[in-house]
Amino acid sequence: MIRFVLNVLWLIFGGGIVLALGYFVAAVICFVLVVTIPFGVASLRLAGYSLWPFGRTLVAKPGAGVPSGLANVLWVLLAGWWLALSHLLAGIALCVTIIGIPFGIANFKLVPAAFWPLGREVVEAP
């Protein structure tokens, strides 16, 4: 129940909708460019994760190897840096108030996901 309340508050006050919109825009751009469709799929996965982050986590996908690592380098150059920067700035802004600290920490948790989305999957937290 607490995770549900935190996720609803995240949507309203934590910037979840705005951050997910950034991932969605990145996904649309990647789908239009056809060659970058795998990046678009990863971006949509992260959009869902940024909408509802509490109670879920990212783990390394078994079998993801060198190709996903090389694709992540390309991702950082195309979209990952500005998405990670948006999480970092939102996290800093939210940590200014005591009430916003859990949401700031959730934003900081999303920074590595914005940098290296390929070769990872979103799973329920234990």
Side-chain angles (χ1 to χ4, degrees), residues 23-126:
Y23 281 112
F24 183 74
V25 168
V28 168
I29 292 169
C30 289
F31 287 138
V32 168
L33 297 175
V34 180
V35 175
T36 57
I37 287 176
F39 299 133
V41 172
S43 185
L44 285 179
R45 181 176 51 245
L46 291 176
Y49 183 46
S50 68
L51 273 176
W52 209 255
F54 293 99
R56 296 168 36 178
T57 188
L58 273 174
V59 296
K61 191 183 293 186
V66 174
S68 67
L70 294 174
N72 277 326
V73 172
L74 186 60
W75 168 263
V76 168
L77 296 174
L78 295 176
W81 66 270
W82 65 270
L83 291 168
L85 183 64
S86 67
H87 285 297
L88 187 63
L89 293 176
I92 291 169
L94 287 166
C95 283
V96 170
T97 63
I98 292 173
I99 294 172
I101 290 174
F103 303 125
I105 292 171
N107 266 304
F108 294 141
K109 184 175 85 170
L110 288 165
V111 169
F115 270 120
W116 301 110
L118 299 165
R120 294 182 178 192
E121 59 187 345
V122 179
V123 296
E124 294 295 319

